[in-house]
């Protein structure tokens, strides 16, 4: 059996590792380069994402991920200004209610992706833009890329995100609904926040600050182990550039209503949005790494009726969007699909039966979570 995966994001790479470990031939096609598209710096990994990584990745990769996570996150803090001082005014447990966040730990998203790429040299083809597929009479799927190259496999998986080209052809009735509230996201070295008191105030917990009608989300990542040291101990094959300049930092996010901003304009807009905030919060944005400040589109895919199972399927943001924990759902999808395809390889399930079972579970769990989050 051969599987083609379109998209080298968290879901696609997790799936590729799991399939390779099971001895299943897999090829990953990624339209962008090695560093991928800007997607924000941090990811809150909960039990779903952690279980997927442990189930699909080699042990040394899992150890590298866990060594470079931040501390436990079990509650969200609410911050406000009280008598001129930024103060914790409340807290809410990360209880995992439908559509809500679960306890977990923060990871550096670019580092996680670099770890996932390690060991997949020769499997991932960069600069290969998928354009279309054809289901053939013998049950196989043929794919075409923009450069004219083709490939054929037993299964095609769309792991190509919100703008999925696989989904557009396979499920043309599925639409992404723009929520009209993009987020500006960035990160600031922790050393630049010395003296603000913010890192000490929030610890490892995510925090939401609301002051004078402006909202700002914050989270501090203190690496459990230095990424350089962890690489040397657990995964020397990891690209050195992925850890060369890694340091503790705070991630932040700001809702906005302006979308079309050039790369330089995103950080300037973030500075504008925080102009009326307390000095500690203003300094977080003022001292941020400007080159990793990005504007991210916010959308939702409304739940849709089941479709007949076939040799083409989708995972993650290609079929369900969930801002804040979508990476966990993508990795969970990858884990479940991997387990289903392994059963096919062992002769315990027919291919379409396995894909149908995966899709039934994916729709049941993820459509419910995403709908609850979006208020659908």
């Amino acid at each position: 059996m051969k599987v083609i995966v379109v998209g080298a994001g968290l879901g696609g790479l997790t799936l590729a590792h799991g399939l390779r470990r099971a001895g299943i031939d897999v090829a990953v096609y990624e339209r962008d380069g090695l560093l991928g598209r800007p997607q924000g710096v941090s990811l809150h990994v909960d039990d779903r994402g952690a279980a997927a990584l442990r189930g699909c990745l080699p042990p040394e990769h899992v150890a590298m991920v866990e060594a470079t996570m931040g501390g436990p996150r079990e509650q969200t803090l609410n911050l406000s200004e009280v008598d001129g001082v930024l103060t914790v005014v409340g807290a809410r447990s990360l209880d995992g209610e439908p559509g809500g966040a679960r306890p977990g730990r923060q990871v550096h998203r670019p580092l996680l992706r670099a770890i996932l790429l390690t060991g997949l040299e020769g499997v991932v083809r960069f600069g290969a833009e998928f354009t279309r597929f054809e289901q053939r009479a013998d049950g196989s799927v043929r794919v075409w890329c923009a450069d004219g190259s083709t490939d054929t496999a037993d299964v095609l998986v769309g792991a190509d995100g919100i703008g999925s080209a696989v989904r557009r052809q396979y499920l043309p009735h599925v639409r992404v609904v723009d929520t009209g509230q993009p987020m500006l996201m960035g990160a600031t070295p922790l050393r630049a926040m010395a003296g603000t008191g913010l890192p000490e105030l929030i610890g490892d917990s995510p925090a939401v600050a609301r002051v004078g009608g402006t909202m700002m989300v914050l989270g501090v990542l203190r690496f459990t182990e230095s990424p350089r040291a962890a690489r040397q101990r657990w995964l020397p094959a990891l690209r050195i550039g992925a850890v060369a300049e890694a340091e503790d930092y705070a991630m932040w996010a700001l809702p906005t209503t302006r979308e079309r901003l050039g790369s330089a304009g995103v950080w300037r807009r973030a500075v504008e949005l925080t102009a009326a905030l307390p000095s500690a919060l203003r300094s977080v944005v003022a001292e941020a790494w400007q080159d990793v400040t990005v504007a991210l589109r916010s959308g939702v895919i409304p739940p849709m009726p089941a479709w007949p199972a076939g040799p083409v399927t989708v995972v993650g943001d290609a079929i369900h969007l969930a801002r804040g924990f979508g990476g966990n759902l993508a990795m969970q999808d990858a884990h479940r699909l991997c387990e289903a395809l392994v059963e096919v390889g062992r002769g315990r399930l027919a291919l379409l039966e396995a894909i149908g079972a995966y899709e039934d579970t994916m729709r049941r769990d993820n459509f419910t979570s995403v709908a609850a989050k979006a208020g659908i």
Side-chain angles (χ1 to χ4, degrees):
M1 179 166 57
K2 179 177 179 178
V3 178
I4 291 175
V5 179
V6 175
L10 302 183
L13 296 175
T14 299
L15 176 60
H17 271 290
L19 294 175
R20 285 200 81 198
R21 293 187 72 204
I24 296 174
D25 188 13
V26 59
V28 180
Y29 289 84
E30 169 57 52
R31 71 176 185 180
D32 295 314
L34 176 66
L35 299 180
R37 300 184 295 279
Q39 290 185 293
V41 172
S42 288
L43 175 70
H44 175 88
V45 173
D46 61 29
D47 58 301
R48 296 166 293 188
L53 294 173
R54 295 189 189 108
C56 293
L57 271 58
E60 59 273 18
H61 288 62
V62 176
M64 181 69 196
V65 173
E66 293 180 344
T68 51
M69 286 180 166
R73 312 173 96 201
E74 298 179 346
Q75 61 180 352
T76 297
L77 303 178
N78 294 317
L79 308 182
S80 189
E81 197 171 32
V82 178
D83 296 330
V85 178
L86 199 61
T87 305
V88 175
V89 294
R92 180 172 54 84
S93 173
L94 299 179
D95 51 18
E97 287 295 315
R102 304 184 182 191
R105 297 170 67 189
Q106 193 171 352
V107 300
H108 184 43
R109 189 175 188 128
L111 176 55
L112 174 59
R113 186 169 182 271
I115 294 169
L116 288 169
L117 283 168
T118 304
L120 294 181
E121 296 80 11
V123 173
V124 181
R125 180 183 167 193
F126 295 105
E129 182 180 359
F130 165 89
T131 56
R132 65 186 178 95
F133 70 85
E134 175 187 83
Q135 297 187 50
R136 307 175 77 184
D138 63 0
S140 64
V141 183
R142 188 179 187 189
V143 304
W144 279 261
C145 290
D147 61 4
S149 62
T150 66
D151 198 357
T152 303
D154 300 286
V155 181
L156 168 63
V157 181
D160 45 345
I162 183 174
S164 174
V166 175
R167 183 196 67 235
R168 282 199 304 271
Q169 181 180 346
Y170 187 52
L171 302 170
H173 60 287
V174 175
R175 293 288 183 266
V176 177
V177 178
D178 197 322
T179 63
Q181 191 176 60
M183 296 286 286
L184 306 186
M185 300 187 70
T188 306
L190 213 57
R191 55 181 164 75
M193 296 169 60
T196 66
L198 272 176
E200 296 78 13
L201 180 67
I202 65 177
D204 296 314
S205 298
V208 179
R210 291 182 174 87
V211 181
T214 299
M215 184 181 82
M216 183 175 182
V217 179
L218 294 162
V220 170
L221 192 153
R222 300 174 181 87
F223 291 110
T224 300
E225 184 175 346
S226 157
R228 277 181 173 271
R231 173 186 177 272
Q232 186 63 32
R233 183 152 73 106
W234 297 113
L235 197 61
L238 174 64
R239 180 174 56 86
I240 185 64
V243 300
E245 298 180 1
E247 60 175 304
D248 296 345
Y249 66 89
M251 64 73 60
W252 50 266
L254 293 157
T256 183
T257 56
R258 291 172 55 179
E259 297 188 48
R260 298 190 179 279
L261 300 167
S263 57
V266 177
W267 176 77
R268 287 198 295 269
R269 176 58 178 154
V271 171
E272 292 173 4
L273 289 172
T274 56
L277 293 180
S279 60
L281 296 176
R282 292 200 308 273
S283 69
V284 172
V285 174
E287 299 295 332
W289 288 302
Q290 296 183 31
D291 60 336
V292 299
T293 306
V294 297
L296 298 180
R297 174 185 174 186
S298 177
V300 66
I301 297 177
M304 74 291 299
W307 55 88
V312 181
T313 191
V314 279
V315 301
D317 283 356
I319 191 59
H320 50 76
L321 296 168
R323 188 172 69 193
F325 54 85
N328 291 284
L329 300 186
M331 292 185 286
Q332 176 178 257
D333 285 352
H335 187 200
R336 288 172 168 173
L337 180 57
C338 179
E339 290 183 327
L341 294 177
V342 168
E343 290 298 288
V344 175
R346 292 172 178 170
R348 296 174 181 168
L349 286 176
L351 179 60
L352 298 191
E353 179 186 7
I355 291 176
Y358 152 71
E359 290 177 342
D360 285 343
T361 302
M362 179 269 293
R363 283 187 290 259
R364 183 192 68 224
D365 290 357
N366 297 344
F367 285 0
T368 301
S369 295
V370 173
K373 176 89 172 181
I376 295 174

